[in-house]
Amino acid sequence: MLDILVQNRRDTAGAKRFFRKLLKKTCSVLQVVVTDKLRSYDAAHREVMPSVEHRSHKGLNNRAENSHQPTRQRERAMKGFRSTGGAQRFLAAFSGISPHFRPRRHLMTAPGYRAGMAIRCAIWDQATGAAGA
């Protein structure tokens, strides 16, 4: 995910680089690769790993895309990450903070949600030192 976010261009050369990194990092033999419908993935797949099945149907990668929604929202606001290090620093902090302010609202009553958020905000103010200001 980070490799794709930081790339300047999503062309065939970038896709080849991404697939090579993917193959190097995975310890098992890949059977299927699911990507979005970008055509450069198809061209890179044919050259880098022709024996692996490639699926790029519209709905197949929804699970992966939905899990990255907060990252994508932040990426749009920042107009893209400038480096892998910057993306990694943001994601390391964001993954710990984000769930704190995103409770599973569908499992709570409205008064329970308000009380829980008040407690969470008080904890956040205390942790960041905003309470003393």
Side-chain angles (χ1 to χ4, degrees):
M1 177 69 184
L2 285 178
D3 292 327
I4 295 301
L5 290 178
V6 178
Q7 285 182 0
N8 293 338
R9 297 181 183 166
R10 293 180 64 192
D11 57 357
T12 305
K16 282 184 203 175
R17 217 173 20 254
F18 173 68
F19 282 145
R20 284 192 192 104
K21 275 188 182 179
L22 182 69
L23 285 172
K24 201 181 293 185
K25 287 181 183 178
T26 50
C27 299
S28 59
V29 177
L30 296 178
Q31 294 177 348
V32 177
V33 173
V34 178
T35 63
D36 56 12
K37 293 181 114 179
L38 188 69
R39 300 315 303 165
S40 60
Y41 288 137
D42 201 28
H45 163 261
R46 282 194 303 269
E47 287 184 36
V48 177
M49 46 185 172
S51 61
V52 178
E53 183 183 353
H54 179 227
R55 296 181 188 166
S56 63
H57 186 266
K58 180 180 173 185
L60 288 177
N61 70 339
N62 279 354
R63 185 173 186 144
E65 290 296 333
N66 285 335
S67 70
H68 296 126
Q69 271 183 348
T71 309
R72 293 288 190 185
Q73 289 167 353
R74 177 63 184 204
E75 180 196 10
R76 274 194 301 277
M78 292 178 66
K79 304 292 188 267
F81 294 110
R82 288 173 183 80
S83 67
T84 5
Q88 186 60 53
R89 280 192 304 277
F90 163 73
L91 292 172
F94 187 73
S95 64
I97 296 169
S98 177
H100 185 73
F101 292 106
R102 293 175 185 229
R104 299 180 60 166
R105 176 69 180 92
H106 65 285
L107 299 176
M108 307 169 91
T109 62
Y113 173 76
R114 284 192 290 273
M117 285 306 290
I119 292 169
R120 289 166 189 246
C121 287
I123 292 170
W124 178 256
D125 289 344
Q126 186 179 19
T128 58

